[in-house]
Amino acid sequence: MRRRPALARLLVLLAAFVCAACGLVYELELVALGGYLLGDSVTQTSVVLSVMVFAMGTGSLVAKHLAHRPATFFAAVECALALVGGLSVLTLYACWAWLGRCELTMVGLTCVIGVLIGAEIPLLMTLIQRIRQEDAGRAAADLFAADYVGALIGGLAFPFLLLPALGQATGALLTGAVNALAGAAVVLWLFRDEPGPRARLLLWIGCGTVLAALAVAAACTGAIERAARHALYGGQARPAVQSRYGEIVLTGRPPRVPEQGSVPADPLRLYLSGRLAVCGADEYRYHEALVHPALAGGADTRVLLLGGGDGLALREVLRHSGVASVLVVTLDPALPELARTDPGLAALSEHSFADPRVRVLTADPLEWLRRAGPLPPFDAVLADLPAPERAAHSEYHSTEFYGLAAARLGPQGRLAVPAGAGGPGLWTAEAGLRAAGLATLPYPVAGTGPACDPAGSGSLAAVLLASRDPLPPLQLADDAPPPRSLTVAELTASAARLAAARPQDLPPPSTLLRPR
């Protein structure tokens, strides 16, 4: 180091670059997995970023007391960071699967990782000054430049390389291994004279132990995931697909079409990021309610389906012989692919994606509505999209989304959107549709809570039917078989009951700038 100070300085800056990239990957892993597991990406991002920044400041203060032996403590910090950051994804996933909650675990991991990241810069600054005394401003500029460029590389590598190629768990473990090698090993080699022989041996053993622990965790990742799925879904879990938008899991046997009121002993269930999205025993109630009243407005030949990647709403659309074409715009390409290839889900959807009238586009529905350009108008637009959870998915229930969807309607076209089964969510959605200049007609989905959840009670959901002109009374089209869960009389009566519960003054609508 004394003979070649320029090379030693370059290696320390390179270590700062790699450590910054790894630190940002840990941060993004926690943000992404927290959004998957807890269902509210806005809240999880805010919590992780704010706690991380606070913890980094705390780590910088702690580092002042470690500056007398910077190489020794930097190597220890990097070993700890590699171990905690590398195992963070598996730890968070295991807490969510076996304990049912992971909020405190996520905050705790964020704090520990943030403190360790915050201690890096002061220690690296001390090491650079030990190599060669120079102006503090010049040294800080070089160090922060390496840190920020490393953060840029880590931030780009996570969504475009690590996540699609390795997935969350393996990507975090590999990042931890790189962190240990580039941080601890490089500094220990450069400044090997600082720690005494015993301390140096312990640090090398610690670095090797961390790498071995990460390797063992990587080898056991598949077994851990299988055990966690067994705890979550029981022993019948079938294809599990980890896409960039979350985990897709199927359980149960390939279903037969149930008779009304009967419940198969082991119905097919579709879980999206751990949440029950489809119960094969009674999903038809919701999908029939979403589709059939909206397609009873006349010559419905062109249909736009936003979402609906499971193919179940599409199945109901294709029952109408008058439908000539259906455009499906869905965000996650993994779900339609699973609906095509899995025997159970394909049977439940009646192989709807194989119908020649169907075209599938992979795009965010809101972004597609904004940028698709001029297209022939649609006779019906159906939004089979997730319900809002706090700030999550609120963009699909905003006035802007409703207005863009309505702009794709023909003169007599109808828009159908899901909403909560009463309460403020339903009336907020209705206020948003009215703010977009649409006439509205709400009606509840027939039946009780999901048959897959025996404790469920009350309506499954409600549907809001909207159009530019005042809507005629609810009816069903003649070009499709009679739905199993709907009749005109029941629709009319249930809509009247729901209208009677409408508040005199609707709540403010949800917008992109003011999600509600």
Side-chain angles (χ1 to χ4, degrees), residues 67-105:
H68 60 290
R69 300 183 70 183
T72 301
F73 285 112
F74 183 81
V77 163
E78 293 309 300
C79 286
L81 181 58
L83 184 65
V84 176
L87 296 176
S88 59
V89 169
L90 285 177
T91 302
L92 193 62
Y93 185 71
C95 288
W96 175 73
W98 278 290
L99 302 181
R101 302 188 66 85
C102 59
E103 293 90 339
L104 293 178
T105 304

mmCIF file of all heavy atoms in Angstrom, residues 67-105:
data_model
loop_
_atom_site.group_PDB
_atom_site.id
_atom_site.type_symbol
_atom_site.label_atom_id
_atom_site.label_comp_id
_atom_site.label_asym_id
_atom_site.label_seq_id
_atom_site.Cartn_x
_atom_site.Cartn_y
_atom_site.Cartn_z
ATOM 1 N N ALA A 67 -13.378 4.953 14.402
ATOM 2 C CA ALA A 67 -12.389 5.464 13.451
ATOM 3 C C ALA A 67 -10.956 5.176 13.872
ATOM 4 O O ALA A 67 -10.033 5.311 13.053
ATOM 5 C CB ALA A 67 -12.572 6.972 13.273
ATOM 6 N N HIS A 68 -10.699 4.770 15.119
ATOM 7 C CA HIS A 68 -9.323 4.490 15.532
ATOM 8 C C HIS A 68 -8.798 3.198 14.904
ATOM 9 O O HIS A 68 -7.583 3.013 14.804
ATOM 10 C CB HIS A 68 -9.241 4.407 17.066
ATOM 11 C CG HIS A 68 -10.101 3.334 17.660
ATOM 12 N ND1 HIS A 68 -11.476 3.406 17.677
ATOM 13 C CD2 HIS A 68 -9.762 2.147 18.249
ATOM 14 C CE1 HIS A 68 -11.959 2.313 18.269
ATOM 15 N NE2 HIS A 68 -10.941 1.536 18.616
ATOM 16 N N ARG A 69 -9.709 2.311 14.473
ATOM 17 C CA ARG A 69 -9.308 1.088 13.766
ATOM 18 C C ARG A 69 -10.247 0.896 12.573
ATOM 19 O O ARG A 69 -11.064 -0.021 12.534
ATOM 20 C CB ARG A 69 -9.359 -0.116 14.697
ATOM 21 C CG ARG A 69 -8.426 0.019 15.905
ATOM 22 C CD ARG A 69 -8.448 -1.216 16.780
ATOM 23 N NE ARG A 69 -7.814 -2.347 16.112
ATOM 24 C CZ ARG A 69 -7.737 -3.570 16.632
ATOM 25 N NH1 ARG A 69 -8.256 -3.817 17.829
ATOM 26 N NH2 ARG A 69 -7.145 -4.541 15.973
ATOM 27 N N PRO A 70 -10.134 1.767 11.569
ATOM 28 C CA PRO A 70 -11.138 1.771 10.493
ATOM 29 C C PRO A 70 -11.170 0.495 9.657
ATOM 30 O O PRO A 70 -12.235 0.030 9.276
ATOM 31 C CB PRO A 70 -10.740 2.986 9.643
ATOM 32 C CG PRO A 70 -9.279 3.180 9.933
ATOM 33 C CD PRO A 70 -9.094 2.776 11.366
ATOM 34 N N ALA A 71 -10.023 -0.083 9.345
ATOM 35 C CA ALA A 71 -10.016 -1.284 8.504
ATOM 36 C C ALA A 71 -10.661 -2.456 9.226
ATOM 37 O O ALA A 71 -11.470 -3.206 8.642
ATOM 38 C CB ALA A 71 -8.588 -1.632 8.087
ATOM 39 N N THR A 72 -10.331 -2.610 10.489
ATOM 40 C CA THR A 72 -10.887 -3.721 11.257
ATOM 41 C C THR A 72 -12.401 -3.608 11.356
ATOM 42 O O THR A 72 -13.141 -4.571 11.090
ATOM 43 C CB THR A 72 -10.271 -3.747 12.662
ATOM 44 O OG1 THR A 72 -8.853 -3.886 12.542
ATOM 45 C CG2 THR A 72 -10.838 -4.893 13.485
ATOM 46 N N PHE A 73 -12.859 -2.427 11.718
ATOM 47 C CA PHE A 73 -14.303 -2.264 11.902
ATOM 48 C C PHE A 73 -15.046 -2.224 10.561
ATOM 49 O O PHE A 73 -16.190 -2.662 10.483
ATOM 50 C CB PHE A 73 -14.579 -1.002 12.717
ATOM 51 C CG PHE A 73 -14.282 -1.161 14.179
ATOM 52 C CD1 PHE A 73 -13.239 -0.483 14.767
ATOM 53 C CD2 PHE A 73 -15.035 -2.026 14.959
ATOM 54 C CE1 PHE A 73 -12.952 -0.637 16.118
ATOM 55 C CE2 PHE A 73 -14.752 -2.191 16.307
ATOM 56 C CZ PHE A 73 -13.715 -1.500 16.888
ATOM 57 N N PHE A 74 -14.388 -1.711 9.506
ATOM 58 C CA PHE A 74 -15.058 -1.739 8.205
ATOM 59 C C PHE A 74 -15.253 -3.179 7.744
ATOM 60 O O PHE A 74 -16.323 -3.534 7.218
ATOM 61 C CB PHE A 74 -14.248 -0.962 7.171
ATOM 62 C CG PHE A 74 -14.921 -0.891 5.828
ATOM 63 C CD1 PHE A 74 -15.925 0.028 5.582
ATOM 64 C CD2 PHE A 74 -14.572 -1.770 4.811
ATOM 65 C CE1 PHE A 74 -16.554 0.085 4.342
ATOM 66 C CE2 PHE A 74 -15.199 -1.726 3.578
ATOM 67 C CZ PHE A 74 -16.202 -0.789 3.340
ATOM 68 N N ALA A 75 -14.262 -4.014 7.927
ATOM 69 C CA ALA A 75 -14.414 -5.425 7.551
ATOM 70 C C ALA A 75 -15.522 -6.084 8.357
ATOM 71 O O ALA A 75 -16.330 -6.859 7.816
ATOM 72 C CB ALA A 75 -13.093 -6.161 7.756
ATOM 73 N N ALA A 76 -15.591 -5.776 9.658
ATOM 74 C CA ALA A 76 -16.659 -6.348 10.484
ATOM 75 C C ALA A 76 -18.026 -5.847 10.038
ATOM 76 O O ALA A 76 -19.000 -6.613 9.989
ATOM 77 C CB ALA A 76 -16.413 -6.000 11.954
ATOM 78 N N VAL A 77 -18.112 -4.545 9.730
ATOM 79 C CA VAL A 77 -19.381 -3.976 9.265
ATOM 80 C C VAL A 77 -19.829 -4.642 7.972
ATOM 81 O O VAL A 77 -21.008 -4.999 7.800
ATOM 82 C CB VAL A 77 -19.237 -2.449 9.083
ATOM 83 C CG1 VAL A 77 -20.373 -1.895 8.227
ATOM 84 C CG2 VAL A 77 -19.231 -1.753 10.435
ATOM 85 N N GLU A 78 -18.901 -4.846 7.035
ATOM 86 C CA GLU A 78 -19.280 -5.438 5.754
ATOM 87 C C GLU A 78 -19.688 -6.902 5.903
ATOM 88 O O GLU A 78 -20.599 -7.372 5.210
ATOM 89 C CB GLU A 78 -18.134 -5.310 4.752
ATOM 90 C CG GLU A 78 -17.852 -3.889 4.339
ATOM 91 C CD GLU A 78 -19.111 -3.162 3.888
ATOM 92 O OE1 GLU A 78 -19.757 -3.607 2.922
ATOM 93 O OE2 GLU A 78 -19.457 -2.149 4.508
ATOM 94 N N CYS A 79 -19.029 -7.629 6.794
ATOM 95 C CA CYS A 79 -19.459 -9.012 7.032
ATOM 96 C C CYS A 79 -20.874 -9.050 7.603
ATOM 97 O O CYS A 79 -21.715 -9.857 7.167
ATOM 98 C CB CYS A 79 -18.488 -9.697 7.995
ATOM 99 S SG CYS A 79 -16.899 -10.142 7.260
ATOM 100 N N ALA A 80 -21.141 -8.172 8.574
ATOM 101 C CA ALA A 80 -22.488 -8.127 9.152
ATOM 102 C C ALA A 80 -23.519 -7.689 8.121
ATOM 103 O O ALA A 80 -24.629 -8.245 8.037
ATOM 104 C CB ALA A 80 -22.496 -7.186 10.360
ATOM 105 N N LEU A 81 -23.168 -6.686 7.311
ATOM 106 C CA LEU A 81 -24.106 -6.207 6.291
ATOM 107 C C LEU A 81 -24.379 -7.284 5.248
ATOM 108 O O LEU A 81 -25.526 -7.475 4.813
ATOM 109 C CB LEU A 81 -23.536 -4.955 5.625
ATOM 110 C CG LEU A 81 -24.384 -4.295 4.543
ATOM 111 C CD1 LEU A 81 -25.752 -3.904 5.097
ATOM 112 C CD2 LEU A 81 -23.668 -3.080 3.966
ATOM 113 N N ALA A 82 -23.347 -8.009 4.834
ATOM 114 C CA ALA A 82 -23.540 -9.076 3.855
ATOM 115 C C ALA A 82 -24.453 -10.160 4.404
ATOM 116 O O ALA A 82 -25.330 -10.675 3.689
ATOM 117 C CB ALA A 82 -22.188 -9.680 3.466
ATOM 118 N N LEU A 83 -24.289 -10.501 5.679
ATOM 119 C CA LEU A 83 -25.116 -11.555 6.268
ATOM 120 C C LEU A 83 -26.563 -11.097 6.438
ATOM 121 O O LEU A 83 -27.502 -11.791 6.020
ATOM 122 C CB LEU A 83 -24.530 -11.958 7.620
ATOM 123 C CG LEU A 83 -25.228 -13.127 8.329
ATOM 124 C CD1 LEU A 83 -25.064 -14.411 7.522
ATOM 125 C CD2 LEU A 83 -24.667 -13.314 9.734
ATOM 126 N N VAL A 84 -26.762 -9.915 7.028
ATOM 127 C CA VAL A 84 -28.126 -9.427 7.271
ATOM 128 C C VAL A 84 -28.826 -9.104 5.957
ATOM 129 O O VAL A 84 -29.985 -9.485 5.732
ATOM 130 C CB VAL A 84 -28.096 -8.196 8.195
ATOM 131 C CG1 VAL A 84 -29.506 -7.623 8.374
ATOM 132 C CG2 VAL A 84 -27.508 -8.560 9.550
ATOM 133 N N GLY A 85 -28.145 -8.373 5.071
ATOM 134 C CA GLY A 85 -28.763 -8.019 3.797
ATOM 135 C C GLY A 85 -29.028 -9.234 2.922
ATOM 136 O O GLY A 85 -30.081 -9.341 2.293
ATOM 137 N N GLY A 86 -28.072 -10.156 2.883
ATOM 138 C CA GLY A 86 -28.261 -11.347 2.053
ATOM 139 C C GLY A 86 -29.414 -12.210 2.512
ATOM 140 O O GLY A 86 -30.132 -12.797 1.687
ATOM 141 N N LEU A 87 -29.608 -12.322 3.836
ATOM 142 C CA LEU A 87 -30.678 -13.165 4.370
ATOM 143 C C LEU A 87 -31.983 -12.397 4.581
ATOM 144 O O LEU A 87 -32.959 -12.989 5.056
ATOM 145 C CB LEU A 87 -30.228 -13.779 5.701
ATOM 146 C CG LEU A 87 -29.043 -14.745 5.638
ATOM 147 C CD1 LEU A 87 -28.656 -15.197 7.038
ATOM 148 C CD2 LEU A 87 -29.373 -15.946 4.763
ATOM 149 N N SER A 88 -32.003 -11.111 4.264
ATOM 150 C CA SER A 88 -33.177 -10.287 4.587
ATOM 151 C C SER A 88 -34.445 -10.771 3.882
ATOM 152 O O SER A 88 -35.528 -10.800 4.484
ATOM 153 C CB SER A 88 -32.903 -8.825 4.231
ATOM 154 O OG SER A 88 -32.604 -8.683 2.853
ATOM 155 N N VAL A 89 -34.320 -11.150 2.619
ATOM 156 C CA VAL A 89 -35.511 -11.567 1.871
ATOM 157 C C VAL A 89 -36.090 -12.855 2.445
ATOM 158 O O VAL A 89 -37.307 -12.957 2.680
ATOM 159 C CB VAL A 89 -35.171 -11.731 0.378
ATOM 160 C CG1 VAL A 89 -36.307 -12.426 -0.365
ATOM 161 C CG2 VAL A 89 -34.899 -10.374 -0.248
ATOM 162 N N LEU A 90 -35.234 -13.850 2.680
ATOM 163 C CA LEU A 90 -35.727 -15.107 3.248
ATOM 164 C C LEU A 90 -36.309 -14.891 4.645
ATOM 165 O O LEU A 90 -37.323 -15.506 5.011
ATOM 166 C CB LEU A 90 -34.608 -16.135 3.305
ATOM 167 C CG LEU A 90 -34.200 -16.783 1.969
ATOM 168 C CD1 LEU A 90 -33.036 -17.734 2.183
ATOM 169 C CD2 LEU A 90 -35.372 -17.512 1.333
ATOM 170 N N THR A 91 -35.693 -14.026 5.439
ATOM 171 C CA THR A 91 -36.199 -13.754 6.783
ATOM 172 C C THR A 91 -37.577 -13.107 6.728
ATOM 173 O O THR A 91 -38.502 -13.501 7.454
ATOM 174 C CB THR A 91 -35.217 -12.847 7.535
ATOM 175 O OG1 THR A 91 -33.933 -13.469 7.585
ATOM 176 C CG2 THR A 91 -35.699 -12.574 8.947
ATOM 177 N N LEU A 92 -37.719 -12.107 5.872
ATOM 178 C CA LEU A 92 -39.007 -11.414 5.763
ATOM 179 C C LEU A 92 -40.091 -12.357 5.251
ATOM 180 O O LEU A 92 -41.225 -12.370 5.770
ATOM 181 C CB LEU A 92 -38.847 -10.214 4.822
ATOM 182 C CG LEU A 92 -39.968 -9.181 4.803
ATOM 183 C CD1 LEU A 92 -40.118 -8.530 6.174
ATOM 184 C CD2 LEU A 92 -39.684 -8.118 3.751
ATOM 185 N N TYR A 93 -39.750 -13.178 4.262
ATOM 186 C CA TYR A 93 -40.720 -14.113 3.698
ATOM 187 C C TYR A 93 -41.133 -15.166 4.725
ATOM 188 O O TYR A 93 -42.306 -15.534 4.836
ATOM 189 C CB TYR A 93 -40.117 -14.773 2.463
ATOM 190 C CG TYR A 93 -41.067 -15.679 1.708
ATOM 191 C CD1 TYR A 93 -42.126 -15.153 0.975
ATOM 192 C CD2 TYR A 93 -40.900 -17.054 1.723
ATOM 193 C CE1 TYR A 93 -42.987 -15.982 0.280
ATOM 194 C CE2 TYR A 93 -41.760 -17.893 1.028
ATOM 195 C CZ TYR A 93 -42.799 -17.349 0.308
ATOM 196 O OH TYR A 93 -43.658 -18.169 -0.371
ATOM 197 N N ALA A 94 -40.162 -15.659 5.497
ATOM 198 C CA ALA A 94 -40.466 -16.671 6.506
ATOM 199 C C ALA A 94 -41.366 -16.109 7.601
ATOM 200 O O ALA A 94 -42.312 -16.773 8.047
ATOM 201 C CB ALA A 94 -39.170 -17.202 7.114
ATOM 202 N N CYS A 95 -41.116 -14.884 8.036
ATOM 203 C CA CYS A 95 -41.984 -14.265 9.057
ATOM 204 C C CYS A 95 -43.396 -14.093 8.529
ATOM 205 O O CYS A 95 -44.383 -14.329 9.248
ATOM 206 C CB CYS A 95 -41.411 -12.917 9.486
ATOM 207 S SG CYS A 95 -39.925 -13.046 10.483
ATOM 208 N N TRP A 96 -43.524 -13.693 7.289
ATOM 209 C CA TRP A 96 -44.859 -13.516 6.698
ATOM 210 C C TRP A 96 -45.588 -14.854 6.575
ATOM 211 O O TRP A 96 -46.781 -14.953 6.837
ATOM 212 C CB TRP A 96 -44.703 -12.857 5.330
ATOM 213 C CG TRP A 96 -45.966 -12.721 4.558
ATOM 214 C CD1 TRP A 96 -46.988 -11.848 4.789
ATOM 215 C CD2 TRP A 96 -46.343 -13.479 3.401
ATOM 216 N NE1 TRP A 96 -47.970 -12.022 3.844
ATOM 217 C CE2 TRP A 96 -47.601 -13.004 2.993
ATOM 218 C CE3 TRP A 96 -45.734 -14.501 2.678
ATOM 219 C CZ2 TRP A 96 -48.264 -13.535 1.881
ATOM 220 C CZ3 TRP A 96 -46.389 -15.010 1.581
ATOM 221 C CH2 TRP A 96 -47.638 -14.532 1.199
ATOM 222 N N ALA A 97 -44.853 -15.898 6.191
ATOM 223 C CA ALA A 97 -45.485 -17.198 5.969
ATOM 224 C C ALA A 97 -45.848 -17.881 7.282
ATOM 225 O O ALA A 97 -46.951 -18.433 7.420
ATOM 226 C CB ALA A 97 -44.566 -18.093 5.140
ATOM 227 N N TRP A 98 -44.938 -17.877 8.266
ATOM 228 C CA TRP A 98 -45.163 -18.666 9.480
ATOM 229 C C TRP A 98 -45.760 -17.851 10.632
ATOM 230 O O TRP A 98 -46.476 -18.408 11.445
ATOM 231 C CB TRP A 98 -43.857 -19.314 9.926
ATOM 232 C CG TRP A 98 -43.569 -20.566 9.168
ATOM 233 C CD1 TRP A 98 -44.233 -21.757 9.263
ATOM 234 C CD2 TRP A 98 -42.558 -20.762 8.180
ATOM 235 N NE1 TRP A 98 -43.687 -22.678 8.398
ATOM 236 C CE2 TRP A 98 -42.648 -22.098 7.716
ATOM 237 C CE3 TRP A 98 -41.568 -19.945 7.629
ATOM 238 C CZ2 TRP A 98 -41.806 -22.629 6.753
ATOM 239 C CZ3 TRP A 98 -40.733 -20.465 6.675
ATOM 240 C CH2 TRP A 98 -40.848 -21.793 6.242
ATOM 241 N N LEU A 99 -45.448 -16.575 10.697
ATOM 242 C CA LEU A 99 -45.967 -15.756 11.797
ATOM 243 C C LEU A 99 -47.192 -14.949 11.401
ATOM 244 O O LEU A 99 -47.904 -14.442 12.270
ATOM 245 C CB LEU A 99 -44.872 -14.805 12.311
ATOM 246 C CG LEU A 99 -43.582 -15.477 12.805
ATOM 247 C CD1 LEU A 99 -42.606 -14.422 13.299
ATOM 248 C CD2 LEU A 99 -43.897 -16.486 13.901
ATOM 249 N N GLY A 100 -47.431 -14.800 10.112
ATOM 250 C CA GLY A 100 -48.609 -14.069 9.652
ATOM 251 C C GLY A 100 -48.409 -12.574 9.546
ATOM 252 O O GLY A 100 -49.193 -11.894 8.897
ATOM 253 N N ARG A 101 -47.375 -12.031 10.136
ATOM 254 C CA ARG A 101 -47.098 -10.602 10.078
ATOM 255 C C ARG A 101 -45.601 -10.408 9.880
ATOM 256 O O ARG A 101 -44.786 -11.168 10.387
ATOM 257 C CB ARG A 101 -47.547 -9.878 11.350
ATOM 258 C CG ARG A 101 -49.021 -10.030 11.653
ATOM 259 C CD ARG A 101 -49.424 -9.139 12.799
ATOM 260 N NE ARG A 101 -49.303 -7.737 12.456
ATOM 261 C CZ ARG A 101 -50.248 -7.045 11.826
ATOM 262 N NH1 ARG A 101 -51.356 -7.637 11.445
ATOM 263 N NH2 ARG A 101 -50.077 -5.764 11.559
ATOM 264 N N CYS A 102 -45.251 -9.356 9.146
ATOM 265 C CA CYS A 102 -43.829 -9.102 8.911
ATOM 266 C C CYS A 102 -43.484 -7.624 8.967
ATOM 267 O O CYS A 102 -42.371 -7.236 8.591
ATOM 268 C CB CYS A 102 -43.407 -9.694 7.561
ATOM 269 S SG CYS A 102 -44.310 -9.025 6.151
ATOM 270 N N GLU A 103 -44.411 -6.778 9.433
ATOM 271 C CA GLU A 103 -44.157 -5.341 9.455
ATOM 272 C C GLU A 103 -42.985 -4.994 10.364
ATOM 273 O O GLU A 103 -42.077 -4.247 9.975
ATOM 274 C CB GLU A 103 -45.406 -4.571 9.893
ATOM 275 C CG GLU A 103 -46.559 -4.629 8.916
ATOM 276 C CD GLU A 103 -47.489 -5.805 9.173
ATOM 277 O OE1 GLU A 103 -47.045 -6.774 9.834
ATOM 278 O OE2 GLU A 103 -48.645 -5.755 8.716
ATOM 279 N N LEU A 104 -42.995 -5.536 11.598
ATOM 280 C CA LEU A 104 -41.918 -5.231 12.531
ATOM 281 C C LEU A 104 -40.591 -5.806 12.048
ATOM 282 O O LEU A 104 -39.532 -5.194 12.238
ATOM 283 C CB LEU A 104 -42.254 -5.766 13.920
ATOM 284 C CG LEU A 104 -43.423 -5.093 14.639
ATOM 285 C CD1 LEU A 104 -43.677 -5.746 15.991
ATOM 286 C CD2 LEU A 104 -43.154 -3.596 14.819
ATOM 287 N N THR A 105 -40.643 -6.986 11.421
ATOM 288 C CA THR A 105 -39.419 -7.576 10.882
ATOM 289 C C THR A 105 -38.824 -6.692 9.797
ATOM 290 O O THR A 105 -37.610 -6.478 9.738
ATOM 291 C CB THR A 105 -39.704 -8.975 10.320
ATOM 292 O OG1 THR A 105 -40.287 -9.788 11.343
ATOM 293 C CG2 THR A 105 -38.432 -9.625 9.810
#
